[in-house]
């Protein structure tokens, strides 16, 4: 496998390491060590969010690692409570301030707010301003369904570079992925190894225990998590696995020395259960999900 597979190019020409490291549910007290370990192992793309409450610790880990800023790709997300033009401009100040950086590599809207879509559009307009001013190198969205992308594109002047979505073998959202690709929007998989299938109660089983994935993993002398990450990378997606455990942080990065066959990929594709595990994107409201994001 060549190192070419490590980097993808966004629709504005910016390079993004395909494999990133996520920190959702990483407690602030563990974040400095976990992100520090990820950077030591070789990850150069970190995905956080204002709503995760650990941007400050991500920033601390980055500084303490000594990794040159221009070798890093820092991605964070605006929470829905900060939607609106002025509010989202201020959300940038909050996130950048906590992270301790002047510029973000990728700044995305965490969710569409269907019941207040005008606020979503105003928030995106703020991202366009930040992009025009060079304070963010790319902008995008998360959990946007085709109708949300379509409505956004009606007024947007900048096509989102990324749509970050629940994508794992049990819920590959193939139609949405194809829709995004048709608009030049890179799909980025959250819960890429199916975390949400095993850290949350619910039917359908755990992707890590899946017999097909385990069989493929054994055949390659790799783990189920590594097989799922390869599946994403070989299908051209970005993926951002999370772990706080050093051995898993390293394991999830060690995926560039093997290749799944087209038969392997097809067998994983066939595992689609068509059932979303995360929140229903069309049902996100400020009343149910709003929360105050502290100042930097
Ligand atoms: P993941 O698919 O990354 O799975 C994480 C879970 O798997 C954790 O419980 C982790 O536990 C465990 N784990 C990690 N590596 C391994 C391994 N090699 N073997 C066995 N278990 C493992 O799910 P996430 O939901 O965390 O998604 C990843 C990232 O995506 C988030 O951190 C966040 O950045 C982003 N995200 C974005 C969302 C959005 O709405 N935009 C929603 C959810 C996530 P442990 O830490 O104990 O190792």
């Amino acid at each position: 496998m060549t190192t070419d597979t490590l980097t993808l190019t966004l629709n504005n020409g910016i390079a993004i390491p395909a494999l990133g490291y996520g920190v959702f549910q990483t407690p602030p007290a563990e974040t400095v060590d976990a992100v520090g370990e990820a950077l030591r192992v070789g990850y150069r793309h970190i995905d956080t969010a204002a709503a995760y409450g650990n941007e400050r610790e991500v920033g601390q880990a980055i500084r303490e690692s000594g990794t040159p800023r221009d070798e890093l790709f820092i991605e964070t997300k605006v929470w829905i409570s900060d939607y609106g033009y002025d509010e989202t401009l201020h959300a940038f100040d909050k996130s950048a301030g906590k992270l301790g950086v002047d510029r973000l590599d990728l700044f995305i809207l965490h969710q569409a707010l269907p019941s207040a879509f005008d606020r979503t559009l105003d928030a995106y307009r703020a991202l366009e301003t930040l992009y025009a001013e060079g304070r963010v190198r790319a902008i995008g969205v998360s959990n946007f369904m085709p109708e949300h992308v379509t409505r956004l594109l009606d007024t947007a002047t900048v096509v989102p570079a990324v749509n970050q979505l629940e994508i794992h073998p049990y819920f590959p959202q193939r139609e949405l992925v194809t829709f995004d690709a048709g608009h030049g929007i890179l799909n980025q998989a959250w819960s890429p190894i199916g975390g949400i299938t095993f850290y949350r109660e619910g039917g359908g089983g755990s992707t890590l225990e899946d017999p097909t994935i385990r069989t493929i993993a054994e055949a390659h002398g790799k783990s189920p998590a590594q097989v799922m990450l390869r599946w994403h990378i070989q299908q051209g997606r970005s993926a951002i696995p999370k772990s706080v455990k050093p051995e898993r942080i390293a394991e999830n990065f060690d995926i560039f020395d093997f290749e799944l066959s087209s038969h392997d990929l097809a067998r994983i594709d066939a595992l689609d259960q068509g059932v979303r595990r995360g929140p229903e994107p069309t049902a996100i409201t400020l009343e149910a999900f709003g929360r105050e994001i502290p100042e930097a």
Side-chain angles (χ1 to χ4, degrees):
M1 193 52 47
T2 71
T3 50
D4 290 348
T5 54
L6 286 166
T7 303
L8 297 169
T9 304
L10 299 176
N11 60 13
N12 64 353
I14 297 289
I16 178 174
L19 186 67
Y21 175 76
V23 294
F24 174 48
Q25 301 183 118
T26 300
E30 292 177 43
T31 302
V32 176
D33 284 350
V35 174
E37 183 63 14
L39 294 169
R40 200 187 63 72
V41 163
Y43 295 81
R44 288 295 175 267
H45 167 189
I46 310 292
D47 176 74
T48 182
Y52 298 168
N54 54 19
E55 288 174 310
R56 206 178 296 284
E57 290 74 16
V58 168
Q60 184 183 337
I62 286 172
R63 281 190 300 283
E64 289 179 1
S65 77
T67 313
R69 175 67 186 92
D70 62 3
E71 290 178 18
L72 283 173
F73 193 95
I74 304 175
E75 172 174 1
T76 192
K77 315 182 190 80
V78 187
W79 189 238
I80 53 172
S81 312
D82 283 338
Y83 284 7
Y85 185 76
D86 292 334
E87 293 87 342
T88 299
L89 288 180
H90 186 57
F92 170 85
D93 294 333
K94 291 198 273 189
S95 286
K98 288 173 194 164
L99 286 160
V101 296
D102 299 329
R103 194 154 78 136
L104 295 169
D105 296 292
L106 180 58
F107 200 32
I108 66 177
L109 301 185
H110 205 140
Q111 301 274 353
L113 202 45
S115 59
F117 206 73
D118 284 351
R119 280 173 88 150
T120 311
L121 294 177
D122 288 343
Y124 194 77
R125 224 164 25 86
L127 298 195
E128 290 176 328
T129 297
L130 293 164
Y131 179 60
E133 291 174 349
R135 289 194 280 173
V136 299
R137 295 174 69 227
I139 59 176
V141 296
S142 176
N143 300 305
F144 269 47
M145 298 297 104
E147 67 266 30
H148 305 135
V149 175
T150 302
R151 285 176 73 185
L152 183 75
L153 291 177
D154 280 347
T155 55
T157 58
V158 178
V159 176
V162 162
N163 191 2
Q164 187 181 116
L165 302 164
E166 178 183 345
I167 306 178
H168 47 73
Y170 287 173
F171 193 53
Q173 305 211 63
R174 211 158 283 122
E175 267 181 42
L176 176 49
V177 163
T178 304
F179 174 90
D180 284 344
H183 289 84
I185 302 168
L186 176 70
N187 285 118
Q188 188 171 57
W190 68 252
S191 267
I193 63 167
I196 199 156
T197 68
F198 51 85
Y199 64 59
R200 228 173 246 183
E201 291 296 314
S206 158
T207 47
L208 283 180
E209 305 297 328
D210 186 90
T212 300
I213 295 172
R214 292 186 81 102
T215 302
I216 295 170
E218 275 162 30
H220 287 278
K222 286 287 182 175
S223 71
Q226 289 171 320
V227 163
M228 286 186 267
L229 293 170
R230 258 328 285 191
W231 171 73
H232 289 292
I233 299 299
Q234 286 185 220
Q235 294 189 340
R237 292 183 289 278
S238 171
I240 44 171
K242 171 265 179 186
S243 177
V244 293
K245 299 190 170 59
E247 64 280 9
R248 290 177 174 175
I249 292 171
E251 175 186 323
N252 295 345
F253 196 70
D254 180 22
I255 61 163
F256 296 100
D257 62 350
F258 76 112
E259 188 153 7
L260 298 175
S261 67
S262 51
H263 181 59
D264 294 332
L265 295 173
R267 290 177 74 195
I268 300 170
D269 285 342
L271 299 175
D272 186 359
Q273 298 176 348
V275 179
R276 182 187 306 284
R277 306 306 205 288
E280 180 54 56
T282 55
I284 300 293
T285 60
L286 273 174
E287 293 68 29
F289 292 95
R291 83 170 79 141
E292 195 182 329
I293 302 298
E295 296 297 325

